[in-house]
Amino acid sequence: MQTWILVSEIVRNAGLALAAFGGVILAWWTLTPELARRAHVTELFNRAAGQLGDERLEVRLAAIYVLREIGRDFSDLANPVFELLQAILRERQADYRDLDPPVDVQAIMATLRMRIADDDKPVA
């Protein structure tokens, strides 16, 4: 009788260890793609932030549009994106009088307006 109890405890412990090992593998399998995606988005954010000061208009516009999409797709990065865009606007304060602001400034203002409109939408 004592032997059967000992064998059953060994089998139970081996089963628990195997289940725990399977859980660790499943968790790793699930988290790895998300971590890779997150690293990619962080790299995009950093690259776009650096490109906001580029001399070429098309590079600045591309950076603004990338940041806009990052802010939409990743809610935890939305505030840093929009704080960065607001800082760019503050840095470029100018009096345009009757002239239209540059295209990149217009794109930043459109992005910030979208954010404000999204914040004003009622949560369903």
Side-chain angles (χ1 to χ4, degrees):
M1 185 73 167
Q2 216 43 341
T3 307
W4 285 109
I5 293 174
L6 184 61
V7 169
S8 70
E9 287 179 0
I10 291 172
V11 169
R12 181 198 65 192
N13 290 341
L16 289 173
L18 186 62
F21 181 72
V24 167
I25 297 224
L26 182 62
W28 180 259
W29 184 300
T30 305
L31 287 177
T32 301
E34 181 60 30
L35 292 175
R37 182 173 186 229
R38 189 71 176 172
H40 177 68
V41 169
T42 301
E43 175 63 28
L44 284 176
F45 180 88
N46 290 334
R47 190 175 300 158
Q51 291 173 341
L52 286 173
D54 197 282
E55 295 176 2
R56 296 170 296 176
L57 174 65
E58 62 272 11
V59 173
R60 291 192 311 269
L61 282 174
I64 293 164
Y65 296 140
V66 166
L67 289 170
R68 178 187 297 176
E69 292 306 311
I70 290 172
R72 270 192 205 152
D73 295 344
F74 295 89
S75 60
D76 59 323
L77 289 176
N79 283 337
V81 164
F82 294 105
E83 287 174 13
L84 175 64
L85 293 176
Q86 289 171 3
I88 295 295
L89 281 183
R90 282 192 300 272
E91 180 183 296
R92 293 189 186 173
Q93 278 186 348
D95 186 11
Y96 298 111
R97 303 219 183 253
D98 294 333
L99 303 173
D100 289 333
V103 176
D104 58 339
V105 172
Q106 290 178 17
I108 291 173
M109 290 188 307
T111 301
L112 294 175
R113 273 190 229 109
M114 280 186 228
R115 168 66 190 264
I116 292 169
D118 288 346
D119 285 349
D120 288 343
K121 287 181 184 176
V123 177

